[in-house]
């Protein structure tokens, strides 16, 4: 497809954020939306490396509200967009092994209940009965919400791309953005390796590369790339079909069912920001030791595949959503810090409202503005994995 000369909105980045924003702009009536992705295919970076977890169990009101908006949109996704997304409400089970976590989760669960997310407490014995495959002698308690679960990131991206295209949006791959043209704080256009596109509105949906797009517009965006890696085992016989998404909270370690196997990940909290996406073999050993200690049968299975990807991390682990004050019509949808996939449906809609209606109205996103960092209004979240 030829590069258009002009557009009403140019979206930089064809991961789940860009695709959802394009779809929601087009659905709200915007007819000249152009999305640019530098890779040959859409959704192959953070989105394609994602573990697919979707949950309501968060520790801040804004994250719970984003889940309350987004997860029902995933429930309706196939009906609305005609694309299967392998939705599985297997539940999330947070294992708590430290007194301080139990205390913090008491406050989280109270907040979740206030917002209508009826998370349940399970005793250590109940969890041992439910998860006979896990070694749980150090467990104090767990929280459980059966409507949390999993969905397929690739299906969600493809559904939004096809849905937006049907409504007239243009998606171009193999097009790298190399500059944002600005004039006295106004967006004028986007420069690419294949030519320029005049536009009054730019959406920065470049995920782990969002800060680079900010630099092109002279706007500091405090988002850094941080490597996270996962592995999938070989098939495990008799793995229960209702095996939940289990998070060993104190160890930043998680497990979920991936077909007949287990997908496991563990966040290295000492990982320094970088664009390195090679699997770190040293961390993998630490991860596998922890995984086998929690789930001993993993000692007897192989690894079928492994990969590393990048979280797009903001200083308070919350998204940056909305317009930048420095430039009239430069918008960000980034900084999701490890749980962006699940919030992409709602955040794409909310950003489309910001752009077309002047303000997001389905959820108040004023706390997610870019300027909270320099104004000391950071948000505190305990449930980052
Ligand atoms: C290992 C791992 C596990 C995760 N697990 C979960 C999970 O269980 N649940 C969950 O909700 N989230 C999870 N996440 C986080 C989630 O994947 C991200 O928050 C989300 O995918 C971010 O989407 P995005 O569209 O912003 O970024 P991306 O998918 O990275 O898309 C950004 C796009 O911008 C493009 N781009 C960058 N620069 C340019 C440029 N100059 N010109 C043109 N294009 C450009 C890139 O090529 C890329 O395709 C996980 C992430 C990782 C790495």
């Amino acid at each position: 497809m030829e590069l258009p000369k002009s557009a009403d909105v140019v979206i930089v980045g064809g991961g789940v954020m860009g695709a959802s924003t394009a779809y929601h702009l087009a659905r709200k009536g915007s007819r000249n939306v152009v999305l640019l992705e530098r890779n040959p295919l859409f959704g192959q970076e953070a989105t394609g490396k994602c573990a697919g977890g979707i949950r309501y169990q968060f520790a801040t009101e804004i994250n719970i509200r984003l889940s309350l908006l987004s997860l029902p949109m995933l429930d309706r996704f196939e009906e609305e967009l005609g694309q299967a997304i392998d939705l599985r409400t297997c539940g999330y089970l947070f294992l708590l092994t430290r007194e301080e976590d139990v205390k913090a989760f008491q406050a989280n669960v109270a907040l979740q209940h206030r917002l209508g997310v009826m998370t349940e407490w399970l005793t250590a014995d109940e969890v041992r009965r439910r998860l006979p495959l896990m070694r749980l002698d150090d467990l104090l308690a767990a929280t459980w919400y059966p409507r949390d679960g999993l969905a397929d990131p690739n299906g969600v991206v493809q559904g939004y791309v096809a849905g937006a295209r049907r409504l007239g949006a243009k998606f171009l791959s193999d097009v790298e953005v190399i500059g944002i043209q600005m004039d006295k704080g106004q967006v004028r256009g986007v420069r690419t390796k294949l030519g320029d596109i005049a536009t009054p509105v730019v959406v920065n949906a470049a995920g782990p590369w969002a800060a680079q797009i900010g630099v092109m517009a002279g706007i500091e965006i405090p988002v850094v790339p941080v490597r996270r890696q996962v592995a999938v085992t070989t098939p495990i016989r008799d793995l229960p079909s209702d095996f939940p998404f289990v998070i060993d909270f104190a160890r930043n370690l998680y497990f979920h069912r991936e077909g007949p196997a287990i997908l496991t990940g563990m966040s290295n909290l000492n990982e320094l920001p970088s664009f390195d996406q090679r699997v770190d073999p040293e961390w993998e050993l630490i991860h596998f030791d922890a995984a086998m200690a929690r789930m001993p049968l993993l000692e007897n299975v192989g690894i079928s595949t492994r990969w590393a990807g990048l979280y797009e991390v903001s200083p308070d682990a919350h998204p940056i959503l909305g317009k930048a004050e420095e430039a009239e019509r430069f918008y960000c949808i980034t900084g999701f810090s490890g749980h962006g996939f699940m919030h992409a449906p709602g955040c794409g809609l909310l950003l489309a409202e910001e752009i077309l209606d002047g303000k997001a109205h389905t959820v108040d996103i004023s706390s997610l503005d870019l300027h909270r960092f320099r104004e000391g209004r950071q948000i505190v979240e305990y449930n980052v994995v």
Side-chain angles (χ1 to χ4, degrees):
M1 189 190 285
E2 215 175 293
L3 204 68
K5 294 267 171 296
S6 65
D8 292 342
V9 181
V10 172
I11 299 171
V12 185
V16 72
M17 296 303 160
S20 171
T21 306
Y23 171 71
H24 287 102
L25 282 167
R27 193 158 178 243
K28 279 177 71 64
S30 199
R31 284 290 162 260
N32 193 6
V33 175
V34 173
L35 180 145
L36 304 176
E37 166 57 49
R38 70 176 165 198
N39 286 344
L41 298 171
F42 303 107
Q44 299 297 298
E45 293 292 351
T47 304
K49 317 279 172 57
C50 165
I54 57 176
R55 62 178 154 117
Y56 291 88
Q57 290 191 67
F58 277 99
T60 61
E61 178 158 347
I62 185 66
N63 269 340
I64 298 168
R65 290 200 184 282
L66 293 179
S67 294
L68 284 166
L69 175 63
S70 296
L71 272 56
M73 292 167 82
L74 291 173
D75 291 340
R76 298 191 299 270
F77 196 93
E78 185 166 353
E79 194 187 328
E80 181 177 330
L81 284 136
Q83 167 75 49
I85 59 165
D86 199 13
L87 196 67
R88 282 169 283 161
T89 43
C90 57
Y92 259 61
L93 211 155
F94 277 91
L95 305 176
L96 306 177
T97 53
R98 299 181 300 203
E99 290 293 353
E100 66 265 33
D101 293 338
V102 174
K103 227 162 143 191
F105 271 65
Q106 273 159 357
N108 299 349
V109 170
L111 174 67
Q112 290 156 14
H113 284 186
R114 179 165 71 74
L115 297 172
V117 175
M118 302 317 283
T119 308
E120 295 165 34
W121 279 99
L122 301 181
T123 64
D125 281 340
E126 277 173 298
V127 182
R128 286 184 200 108
R129 271 196 300 278
R130 280 191 194 205
L131 292 179
L133 297 179
M134 294 214 154
R135 185 185 289 151
L136 297 165
D137 16 320
D138 57 342
L139 189 66
L140 297 176
T143 64
W144 160 251
Y145 191 58
R147 296 209 51 77
D148 294 339
L150 290 160
D152 166 29
N154 187 46
V156 172
V157 172
Q158 297 317 322
Y160 279 142
V161 172
R165 277 182 165 154
R166 282 195 294 273
L167 294 167
K170 298 182 189 71
F171 281 67
L172 288 100
S173 54
D174 286 316
V175 181
E176 179 165 4
V177 171
I178 53 171
I180 309 288
Q181 294 155 325
M182 305 285 294
D183 180 22
K184 300 190 192 82
Q186 300 278 329
V187 171
R188 295 287 183 221
V190 164
R191 175 148 290 170
T192 80
K193 286 193 170 164
L194 303 181
D196 297 347
I197 304 176
T199 183
V201 179
V202 165
V203 172
N204 180 357
W209 296 270
Q212 295 177 353
I213 307 301
V215 168
M216 294 176 194
I219 299 169
E220 190 188 334
I221 298 169
V223 167
V224 292
V226 178
R227 173 169 57 181
R228 293 288 181 249
Q229 58 197 45
V230 299
V232 181
T233 66
T234 50
I236 296 173
R237 270 187 48 213
D238 303 328
L239 193 61
S241 60
D242 61 352
F243 190 85
F245 197 126
V246 179
I247 299 196
D248 181 344
F249 186 71
R251 288 171 191 76
N252 289 293
L253 171 67
Y254 58 87
F255 308 82
H256 70 70
R257 213 193 135 112
E258 185 82 353
I262 286 284
L263 180 150
T264 172
M266 182 166 158
S267 300
N268 177 0
L269 299 187
N270 296 320
E271 183 79 48
L272 295 172
S274 89
F275 288 104
D276 191 350
Q277 296 199 59
R278 291 169 302 181
V279 170
D280 172 356
E282 275 176 40
W283 181 252
E284 196 173 58
L285 284 181
I286 295 170
H287 168 199
F288 289 173
D289 275 350
M292 289 185 293
R294 187 55 85 201
M295 198 171 181
L297 71 72
L298 296 184
E299 287 169 22
N300 304 317
V301 299
I303 296 298
S304 68
T305 177
R306 47 166 65 82
W307 65 85
L310 301 171
Y311 275 15
E312 69 290 4
V313 176
S314 79
D316 62 6
H318 277 67
I320 299 172
L321 188 61
K323 65 173 164 260
E325 271 166 28
E326 291 91 337
E328 257 307 282
R329 310 221 63 200
F330 182 93
Y331 295 85
C332 292
I333 177 164
T334 186
F336 288 84
S337 308
H339 45 261
F341 164 60
M342 68 184 86
H343 287 163
C347 289
L349 169 67
L350 293 164
L351 195 62
E353 292 175 355
E354 283 274 308
I355 295 169
L356 298 179
D357 306 337
K359 196 170 168 35
H361 39 83
T362 306
V363 170
D364 177 2
I365 56 166
S366 51
S367 63
L368 300 178
D369 66 317
L370 171 62
H371 300 293
R372 67 183 186 271
F373 303 108
R374 66 173 186 228
E375 291 166 9
R377 289 183 280 109
Q378 261 109 315
I379 307 167
V380 180
E381 164 71 277
Y382 200 66
N383 268 17
V384 181
V385 181

